[in-house]
Amino acid sequence: MSAIDSFLADARSGLDRVGPEKARELQEAGALLVDIRPLANREAEGEIPGSVVVERIHLEWRLAPDSEWKLPGVTADSTVVVLCNEGYSSSLAAADLQRLGLPRATDLEGGFRAWAAAGLPVETGGSPAVP
């Protein structure tokens, strides 16, 4: 196993990863869906309605429950589902969020592309990221 495969497996070992339908259920119940994909991907493929765009470089500062720069309403009890294109970098990001105090952080298996392939709602992309 390569180092990155081992790193990814370790990150995923602590996550209760969710598929597209479960992610939608969680969103409807109040979970925060966080899209960390680059603008070019969001413009080309679209976005999940109601998701919050936080570029990967800002993720920890916007979601750490004790960060002075966190998004309003984020607490240690928040359920957060991180998504990327295919569910790889989102696993690493969700594991980081758990280490920062969000034990209910996880990611979307298969990423945005799995959501879209499941026929779930998608809207035109290009929303600005949370600054």
Side-chain angles (χ1 to χ4, degrees), residues 29-43:
L32 183 63
L33 265 61
V34 179
D35 190 337
I36 63 170
R37 296 176 301 141
L39 177 60
N41 292 105
R42 292 183 284 108
E43 286 178 332

Side-chain angles (χ1 to χ4, degrees), residues 5-128:
D5 289 334
S6 179
F7 188 61
L8 181 61
D10 185 53
R12 287 180 172 169
S13 70
L15 300 176
D16 184 16
R17 302 182 77 215
V18 297
E21 292 292 342
K22 181 64 175 180
R24 184 174 188 189
E25 289 174 22
L26 289 170
Q27 183 186 36
E28 289 172 352
L32 183 63
L33 265 61
V34 179
D35 190 337
I36 63 170
R37 296 176 301 141
L39 177 60
N41 292 105
R42 292 183 284 108
E43 286 178 332
E45 298 180 61
E47 297 172 357
I48 296 173
S51 64
V52 176
V53 177
V54 179
E55 297 204 6
R56 181 65 184 95
I57 194 169
H58 297 134
L59 185 71
E60 289 82 358
W61 285 266
R62 295 293 181 231
L63 291 166
D66 63 350
S67 171
E68 66 182 281
W69 301 284
K70 73 177 178 181
L71 296 174
V74 173
T75 70
D77 295 325
S78 297
T79 299
V80 176
V81 180
V82 182
L83 64 114
C84 63
N85 285 333
E86 296 180 336
Y88 294 96
S89 61
S90 60
S91 294
L92 301 176
D96 286 347
L97 293 178
Q98 285 187 352
R99 284 191 288 276
L100 288 172
L102 283 172
R104 294 170 52 185
T106 191
D107 76 319
L108 175 58
E109 288 182 278
F112 175 84
R113 291 177 180 158
W115 176 283
L120 295 172
V122 173
E123 63 188 12
T124 301
S127 298

